[in-house]
Amino acid sequence: MTPPPAPPETRSPPVSDAIVLTGRAIRLSRRNLDAVLTAMLLPVMLMLVFVYFFGGAIDTGTEYVTYVVPGVMLLCAGFGSANTAVTVTHDMTGGIIDRFRSLDVGGTAIVAGHVAASVLRNAVATAIVFGVAFLIGFRPAAGPPEWLAVAGILLLFILAISWLSACFGLIARSPEAAGGFTFLMMFLPYPSSAFVPIDTMPGWLHGFAQHQPVTPVIETLRGLLLDRPAGDSAWQALVWCGAILAVAVALSGVLFRRRTA
């Protein structure tokens, strides 16, 4: 008598794969504490430098620490998300992707695991920035609804930038090359309203500073935290973040298929 045929193997859903791979990415971060600590502490150090070294010479119409905190939060997000490019490149060049593919794990789940870990790391780093800012005199005027909106905008920006960072990780051929994404994210907040008002910059720089993705996010956060109208910045920030996220998600799928073809 022949035994009954074995039931067909069922593939685990992508969400389940992404959750498992998020845990893996977090464990990898714990083994690379120097990079994690640098991404968390460097924005705090820059905030202290700007507040105590340069803040007295910059007129922003308010306490400089209050003005600069939104920009530092985005700088923190940039540093933290840049590490995603490095970890993705490590996976792509270390042979683990072949093992994942033999287990029928999709590329979206692999990238999503790294991105989710980046969001969690950035949440911790942002909390540290807020804590230090309160210690040195940051006093926002936001109520509970505004704080929820701040959290939502920050989460969307971190998600978009982290997924974009994963795309850089899929393009780069070495972790060292992927680390170059850090320089891009470190530079972008400077030609914006993060640290000085745009009208104090040279005229030829105004167009770029006003229309790059970081500026409307900063102005939206600043308006929410100081209980001031954000004007058109709010919808511009949502459009920028949504567009970056949509393009990055689609591009990561294409890049992953090309790298693993």
Side-chain angles (χ1 to χ4, degrees), residues 8-17 100-101 103-110:
E9 293 184 3
T10 58
R11 185 183 184 280
S12 57
V15 174
S16 176
D17 291 340
F100 287 152
R101 294 185 69 192
L103 296 173
D104 202 18
V105 177
T108 301
I110 295 172

Side-chain angles (χ1 to χ4, degrees), residues 83-118:
N83 189 52
T84 307
V86 178
T87 56
V88 169
T89 304
H90 269 297
D91 276 359
M92 300 305 296
T93 58
I96 190 65
I97 296 299
D98 293 333
R99 175 60 175 163
F100 287 152
R101 294 185 69 192
S102 71
L103 296 173
D104 202 18
V105 177
T108 301
I110 295 172
V111 175
H114 286 290
V115 171
S118 174

Side-chain angles (χ1 to χ4, degrees), residues 32-201:
N32 194 15
L33 283 179
D34 52 346
V36 175
L37 289 175
T38 299
M40 289 183 177
L41 297 181
L42 190 55
V44 173
M45 295 172 62
L46 288 175
M47 178 173 64
L48 296 176
V49 167
F50 273 95
V51 170
Y52 290 114
F53 291 1
F54 309 129
I58 301 175
D59 182 15
T60 60
T62 184
E63 289 289 333
Y64 187 67
V65 63
T66 303
Y67 180 88
V68 81
V69 164
V72 173
M73 287 190 295
L74 265 63
L75 192 65
C76 178
F79 277 121
S81 63
N83 189 52
T84 307
V86 178
T87 56
V88 169
T89 304
H90 269 297
D91 276 359
M92 300 305 296
T93 58
I96 190 65
I97 296 299
D98 293 333
R99 175 60 175 163
F100 287 152
R101 294 185 69 192
S102 71
L103 296 173
D104 202 18
V105 177
T108 301
I110 295 172
V111 175
H114 286 290
V115 171
S118 174
V119 171
L120 293 174
R121 289 195 304 267
N122 274 285
V124 175
T126 302
I128 293 173
V129 169
F130 269 124
V132 174
F134 275 106
L135 290 176
I136 63 175
F138 177 57
R139 297 296 180 267
E146 287 79 15
W147 277 109
L148 286 175
V150 167
I153 291 290
L154 274 175
L155 179 62
L156 182 59
F157 179 80
I158 292 170
L159 183 62
I161 295 301
S162 296
W163 215 295
L164 181 63
S165 177
C167 290
F168 275 84
L170 291 169
I171 295 172
R173 297 295 174 175
S174 69
E176 293 77 15
F181 185 68
T182 302
F183 295 100
L184 173 64
M185 295 311 302
M186 182 172 61
F187 168 78
L188 202 56
Y190 288 98
S192 73
S193 62
F195 303 108
V196 297
I198 291 177
D199 57 13
T200 64
M201 299 178 183

Side-chain angles (χ1 to χ4, degrees), residues 229-245:
D232 294 336
S233 297
W235 69 263
Q236 290 175 3
L238 292 175
V239 169
W240 268 114
C241 292
I244 292 172
L245 179 60

